[in-house]
Amino acid sequence: MNLTTRLLAFLFLASFSLGIAQNKASENKTSPLAIGEKVELQSALLNEIRILNIYLPQGYSSDSSKTYPVIYLLDGSIDEDFIHISGLVQFGSFSWIGMIPESIVVGISNIDRRRDFTFPTNNIQDKEDFPTTGKSENFINFLEKELQPFIENKYKTGSAKTIIGQSLGGLLATEILFKRPAVFDNYIIVSPSLWWDDESLLKYTPKAYSSKKSIYIAVGKEGDTMERTAKELHIKLQLQENKNTRLYFQFFEKQDHGDALHLAVYDAFEKIFREE
């Protein structure tokens, strides 16, 4: 084999090897996987920037006339409940499931949930254990006067608004229901921390409302205080006998405070939205 032939053979092999490498590189190409948007909202009421994680239904378009109900999720950080609750919304809205309408999820990332989700307490131990607490009124103002208008201006939203809160988030959702019921249409309250301030919220007389509401309360196997106060909340709401209210209660005997939320939200979606 002369030199020219050898050179041509070498170039052919090199070219062939490069082609294989390029094909493998193409086969292994990666790209980010996105399930929504992260938005920064400057809050004048809270004097801080709040991070929002937004799940948008498949096919969502700002140019479309279609509007979507909104689910507001407390504890809505990426490393909290945003991903698995958004997954339930996506699954439940598949056409072959039909459990829930296609919906926008607004996950509200936390900065200080003990501050934002609790009203002032007279319990000395509460104050010692949670020194930053007691600012829920500010946070409720943020939800009603800043967050909801922002979402309604930025996205194609319908009129129906749902809040999901668990633990201290459940305490906050209950406080909103009692004091400003018009802020949301559906309340999903899971394992609410109604022990706060010596259970004072259970003694509060809820504000009357005439609009339609669905209220779902759930608790797991979480000890006497948590289970009793959740049941007392249900009984208190039952005694109101509001004809515009659909009220649900579920006890998850195989779940505890750590894992009741996911099953509870699935159950709430089935009960609230399939009956609409």
Side-chain angles (χ1 to χ4, degrees):
M1 183 181 294
N2 59 34
L3 180 60
T4 302
T5 304
R6 288 178 181 177
L7 181 59
L8 290 172
F10 172 78
L11 291 174
F12 173 78
L13 289 174
S15 173
F16 182 74
S17 298
L18 179 60
I20 292 174
Q22 288 176 336
N23 286 336
K24 287 185 177 180
S26 177
E27 290 173 2
N28 295 330
K29 184 179 179 180
T30 62
S31 60
L33 175 64
I35 67 166
E37 303 174 348
K38 184 173 81 170
V39 178
E40 293 186 358
L41 173 59
Q42 175 66 57
S43 169
L45 292 172
L46 300 177
N47 192 30
E48 62 193 11
I49 295 174
R50 298 305 297 244
I51 302 298
L52 309 174
N53 297 307
I54 312 294
Y55 164 80
L56 298 173
Q58 186 176 7
Y60 175 91
S61 172
S62 59
D63 296 327
S64 171
S65 61
K66 184 175 181 178
T67 60
Y68 301 86
V70 183
I71 297 170
Y72 290 87
L73 174 65
L74 303 173
D75 296 318
S77 300
I78 290 292
D79 58 354
E80 294 175 315
D81 297 318
F82 176 71
I83 292 177
H84 75 97
I85 296 299
S86 296
L88 284 180
V89 173
Q90 181 201 40
F91 174 78
S93 64
F94 284 146
S95 60
W96 57 91
I97 302 298
M99 179 173 66
I100 182 173
E102 289 187 310
S103 303
I104 297 169
V105 179
V106 178
I108 308 162
S109 295
N110 282 317
I111 292 178
D112 183 350
R113 68 194 299 272
R114 293 174 177 177
R115 175 198 70 186
D116 293 336
F117 294 174
T118 61
F119 51 85
T121 178
N122 294 307
N123 184 291
I124 295 174
Q125 193 62 52
D126 287 348
K127 294 178 180 180
E128 290 179 358
D129 292 342
F130 310 105
T132 65
T133 57
K135 301 295 191 296
S136 62
E137 184 176 359
N138 292 346
F139 192 73
I140 296 169
N141 285 334
F142 161 72
L143 293 177
E144 181 180 14
K145 299 177 181 180
E146 287 187 327
L147 178 58
Q148 287 185 350
F150 173 79
I151 295 298
E152 289 161 8
N153 287 330
K154 185 174 176 61
Y155 299 101
K156 306 289 289 187
T157 65
S159 59
K161 294 172 287 191
T162 299
I163 186 170
I164 299 174
Q166 186 259 353
S167 193
L168 287 178
L171 175 71
L172 180 74
T174 305
E175 183 183 2
I176 297 171
L177 173 64
F178 280 14
K179 298 178 181 179
R180 302 194 204 176
V183 177
F184 296 99
D185 303 291
N186 303 315
Y187 289 79
I188 299 176
I189 300 169
V190 183
S191 305
S193 297
L194 296 168
W195 50 265
W196 181 255
D197 188 33
D198 299 317
E199 305 176 13
S200 66
L201 196 57
L202 288 172
K203 304 178 184 73
Y204 187 90
T205 300
K207 185 177 179 180
Y209 58 85
S210 57
S211 57
K212 291 183 178 180
K213 305 238 173 280
S214 291
I215 303 167
Y216 177 95
I217 303 161
V219 68
K221 194 72 174 175
E222 305 180 40
D224 291 342
T225 299
M226 292 293 293
E227 294 170 31
R228 173 181 56 79
T229 53
K231 291 172 184 175
E232 287 180 7
L233 173 61
H234 178 237
I235 292 170
K236 183 181 183 72
L237 294 171
Q238 273 185 318
L239 293 174
Q240 286 187 282
E241 295 184 342
N242 191 322
K243 64 180 181 180
N244 292 315
T245 300
R246 292 183 301 161
L247 182 63
Y248 309 95
F249 179 84
Q250 185 65 46
F251 175 57
F252 291 92
E253 61 180 353
K254 294 183 179 180
Q255 274 62 50
D256 58 25
H257 194 72
D259 65 355
L261 179 66
H262 192 82
L263 287 180
V265 171
Y266 188 98
D267 187 50
F269 285 169
E270 279 200 310
K271 288 182 168 66
I272 291 173
F273 293 104
R274 274 192 168 159
E275 293 184 12
E276 285 187 342

